Amino acid sequence: MKRLELFEFEDFNWLPKFIRSGITNLIIVLHRFMGTSEVIAKLILFVKQKSHFTRIIDLGSGSGGPMLDVMSRIDLNKNNLDLVLTDLYPNQNTIDKINSKNLEHIQYQETSLNATHFDNAPEGLKTMIASFHHMKPNVVKKILHSAQENESPILIYEIAKNTVPTLIWWLFLPISLVILILMSLVMTLFVKPLSLTQIVFTYLIPIIPIIYAWDGQASLMRTYTFNDIKSLLPKDNNKNYIWVIDDAKKPNGKNLGYYIIGYPKN
């Protein structure tokens, strides 16, 4: 397996919430700059053509990620879709912030949801957006097997591809970290709303840029390759369930990450 089991600061429970929130804000800005929302929306509508569902259950939502923007690009009434955000460790402040907006067709589930047990999850399309690489191989295997066993449609999207040779990654790591730190200083200006906390811990005490840079580089090497994923898919030849693994493409035809789609055959 090419994937490396590196750590990311965001995986640790001891990371202060305001730091985690600051990093998440930068990730949302990155998704906005890259145009991933349009790509993900297109993939969701593709799965809807293949499998009937009226709800999207987003797993590992954290503070919402890009899914709120994704849903704004889908005609929810026309496509009869609702979005339920979930997390293994839901943050009550995030839940209150999103649910208090009374967004039509969108709500944040207050109870914990384990992504490896689809039999306990609400029915609908399960989505994992830029979070799949956080899962260890044994957990990934459970998620993929659970989706197939429960005949539940699933969409996994990763914004990066693990194509850089490991030795090259290590050699250029110092330069890459500096570049990402400098990028985060600019990206912070596009965070909405921009809090005083984010400003202080970006420009005066640059903890957020440093952690963002490391996590960004680590996530690249933690991302599963196509061969990695194929080795973890269920081995039994279930003709009633379809798996598709491919490059994700922007409207202009350029690649932007990759996706894994699974759905029951009609």
Side-chain angles (χ1 to χ4, degrees), residues 58-70:
D58 188 51
L59 306 171
S61 302
S63 62
M67 283 303 289
L68 297 177
D69 188 45
V70 169

Side-chain angles (χ1 to χ4, degrees), residues 119 166 217 265:
D119 50 338
T166 305
Q217 279 299 299
K265 192 174 181 180

Side-chain angles (χ1 to χ4, degrees), residues 213-232:
W214 169 257
D215 280 10
Q217 279 299 299
S219 65
L220 176 64
M221 299 309 290
R222 294 180 82 188
T223 300
Y224 290 90
T225 67
F226 285 9
N227 287 334
D228 292 342
I229 296 162
K230 289 174 182 176
S231 70
L232 296 169

